[in-house]
Amino acid sequence: MIKAVIFDLDGVLVTTDELHFAAWKHLAEELGISGFTKTDNARQRGVSRMASLEVVLEKTDRKFSDEEKLTLAEKKNDMYVKSLESLDKSAVLDGVFDFIAYLRSSGIKTAVGSASKNTPLILEKTDLADKFDAVSCGLDTQKSKPDPEVFLIAAQKIGIAPSECVVIEDSDAGIEAAKAGGMYAVAVGEAENNSKADISVSSLGSLYRTIEMFGR
Ligand code: BG6
Ligand code: MG
């Protein structure tokens, strides 16, 4: 019985994953790393800001102290937040508003489960803020996906057992986190071929049928 759907943010609800990539690439170039690619960026998907920074730093022999790493992460975040200035609801991915409306009218709770500490800002700017029963994000957690913490906190906030939650994710770390938390995992977008997911869909459009399949 499915009682709640927990959405990842970047790459599932909104297109901001492209903006993350641009800011990390910019930081990499400032550090003299010229070959920071989409393949590198794929490993940053779903994981925390500091874990994402490590993916960049793997590409240089230079060594940084913890304090320097914090400064670098802050620098990337400043660039990223600047690029969010013009963000509006046109950044919301196709089918998202309709799918959330469908879930809510069916009595299914909705939540966000994202590593991003910018989640409240992004939800506000894209008119998504009032569309969820709860938000769990990097501001609530100690551990990064693939640890299930962010999804377990979301489930706790809406008062639904993990076994009655479906997570929708575009990252391998997120699929792993959902399964580790005892939830159903639906892979979309970049995670579409993840074999650990219970089901893969190409777009949110096919999810209406998926929710029915999980036995509402
Ligand atoms: C995730 C992204 O949603 O949030 C990661 O997929 C990103 O790439 C992470 O590093 C943390 O985001 P923020 O906004 O807190 O730096
Ligand atoms: Mg994502």
Side-chain angles (χ1 to χ4, degrees), residues 8-12 17 45-46 145 169-171:
D8 173 50
L9 176 73
D10 299 306
V12 170
D17 43 350
R45 219 170 264 278
K145 298 172 189 175
E169 258 293 347
D170 73 323
S171 74

Side-chain angles (χ1 to χ4, degrees), residues 27-35 59-60 62:
L27 182 78
E29 278 159 10
E30 283 190 23
L31 294 172
I33 301 163
S34 54
K59 300 191 71 93
T60 173
R62 287 170 64 185

